Amino acid sequence: EVLLRMHSVGICGSDVHYWQHGRIGDFVVNGPMVLGHEASGTVVKVGSGVTHLKPGDRVAIEPGVPREMDEFCKTGRYNLSPTIFFCATPPDDGNLCRYYKHSASYCYKLPDNVTFEEGALIEPLSVGIHACKRAGVTLGSKVFVSGSGPIGLVNVLVAKMMGASAVVITDLSASRLQKAKEVGADFTIHVKNETPQEVASKVESLLGCMPEITVECTGVQACIQAGIYATRSGGTLVLVGLGPEMVTVPIVNAAVREVDIRGIFRYCNTWPVAIALLASKRINVKPLVTHRFPLEKALEAFETTRRGEGVKVMLKCDPADHSP
């Protein structure tokens, strides 16, 4: 294990949801819980067996640590391990604090040209990497991203990086769609009160064809429906956003057109990839951060996120250090 002095911690929708509702699905908050799982910091102390890190190293933290070497770990899909530790998922504490202890294998050294803030953004970026890999985005792919929150935006970034020739994105918010344009979306659709079929036909007319791949990042029933209608026959719909447990969808439409529906659960094996992309400047996550607060103003930061202002709100845990 290593002891870290925390630096930057991003606020995620799930953090806000636990704070407001006390549960997400089967994960119920039964006692006090520290929030935060998008984080970076500096190594202060290392355990006796740790060789790849030393005090002073700047690291990004992968929040999910398997507790046992089960079948999922053996096949490289450790995110699916039922006993995994995960920051800020009850009953496991997160890392929104001054000092934090974590498994050394899940702390990744940041190169000098990657900032603490970028290090903290690797967590949301990882969701995009994992989703686009599961979707099979490749050279020339036409992609429809549904929802322009932080996760929709990282999917735009990653899809373009992986060779998508055109990406169209939808949202209810015009300002969020503007941000999507900034990070590389080719087309935006400002949804007002269209039916799912109408949204799907707008996607098709903007792309000039139906997309092979849809990445659904809202979890809203109507958006999942639009995702099925929009995806080309033989294509893939990846469900990233989580909404109600039961959802009514045109499953027969998907079935007879051989549209593959895939889920994702967080990510695995993404930190080294993300660090390589950030260090080589192949991907720019900096535009995602719109607000910064010191740890003392955490409540204000959470309120800002809850109101849906900006994109990514970042907390600064180290009062002495003002670097990004």
Side-chain angles (χ1 to χ4, degrees):
E1 292 192 317
V2 291
L3 177 67
L4 305 160
R5 185 170 76 244
M6 299 306 295
H7 188 287
S8 296
V9 181
I11 298 178
C12 169
S14 71
D15 291 320
V16 175
H17 199 90
Y18 281 125
W19 167 52
Q20 290 288 300
H21 304 281
R23 70 178 299 158
I24 294 177
D26 297 335
F27 298 107
V28 183
V29 181
N30 288 317
M33 181 180 81
V34 179
L35 292 169
H37 59 264
E38 308 178 359
S40 63
T42 306
V43 176
V44 181
K45 249 181 166 164
V46 299
S48 54
V50 178
T51 54
H52 71 291
L53 293 172
K54 60 185 189 307
D57 282 349
R58 300 158 60 255
V59 297
I61 301 165
E62 179 171 0
V65 180
R67 287 188 170 96
E68 54 186 308
M69 177 55 73
D70 59 14
E71 292 309 309
F72 296 105
C73 293
K74 287 177 189 172
T75 54
R77 300 180 74 176
Y78 57 85
N79 57 314
L80 301 178
S81 176
T83 58
I84 195 167
F85 166 93
F86 197 89
C87 291
T89 294
D92 304 335
D93 279 328
N95 44 29
L96 180 49
C97 47
R98 300 257 188 244
Y99 289 91
Y100 174 72
K101 184 166 78 38
H102 200 67
S103 162
S105 307
Y106 293 80
C107 294
Y108 301 83
K109 195 169 174 342
L110 292 172
D112 294 340
N113 69 339
V114 177
T115 66
F116 280 116
E117 211 158 77
E118 289 175 300
L121 289 165
I122 291 174
E123 197 279 342
L125 180 60
S126 287
V127 178
I129 294 170
H130 192 58
C132 287
K133 275 189 175 171
R134 293 264 299 153
V137 180
T138 186
L139 286 171
S141 296
K142 304 278 199 301
V143 180
F144 166 31
V145 176
S146 167
S148 189
I151 295 301
L153 297 175
V154 294
N155 274 286
V156 171
L157 281 169
V158 176
K160 295 293 285 192
M161 177 71 233
M162 286 172 77
S165 59
V167 176
V168 60
I169 189 165
T170 51
D171 204 87
L172 297 168
S173 154
S175 61
R176 290 201 155 183
L177 290 172
Q178 188 47 49
K179 186 58 94 170
K181 272 262 195 257
E182 261 178 68
V183 303
D186 299 281
F187 307 103
T188 60
I189 298 172
H190 189 187
V191 179
K192 295 190 172 72
N193 45 18
E194 292 86 348
T195 65
Q197 287 96 330
E198 286 167 347
V199 171
S201 68
K202 280 193 171 184
V203 168
E204 182 178 7
S205 65
L206 282 173
L207 289 173
C209 61
M210 294 169 84
E212 302 102 324
I213 289 161
T214 299
V215 185
E216 207 298 300
C217 303
T218 71
V220 174
Q221 178 171 289
C223 299
I224 299 172
Q225 292 170 353
I228 289 176
Y229 291 131
T231 309
R232 184 186 307 182
S233 298
T236 305
L237 165 64
V238 175
L239 301 177
V240 183
L242 301 176
E245 186 182 1
M246 290 293 173
V247 181
T248 304
V249 293
I251 201 78
V252 175
N253 177 291
V256 298
R257 297 193 303 108
E258 297 193 5
V259 172
D260 293 350
I261 300 176
R262 299 189 140 199
I264 68 156
F265 188 60
R266 300 169 181 159
Y267 35 65
C268 57
N269 306 302
T270 55
W271 259 253
V273 176
I275 289 170
L277 290 172
L278 292 167
S280 62
K281 303 294 179 210
R282 296 297 300 277
I283 211 159
N284 180 16
V285 289
K286 288 174 180 161
L288 298 177
V289 182
T290 52
H291 294 71
R292 295 171 179 86
F293 293 90
L295 188 56
E296 296 75 24
K297 292 191 176 167
L299 189 59
E300 203 180 316
F302 270 79
E303 291 287 2
T304 303
T305 312
R306 185 177 61 80
R307 290 193 299 266
E309 290 172 26
V311 181
K312 181 55 71 179
V313 177
M314 199 57 77
L315 280 153
K316 301 296 179 183
C317 300
D318 188 345
D321 190 342
H322 301 292
S323 66

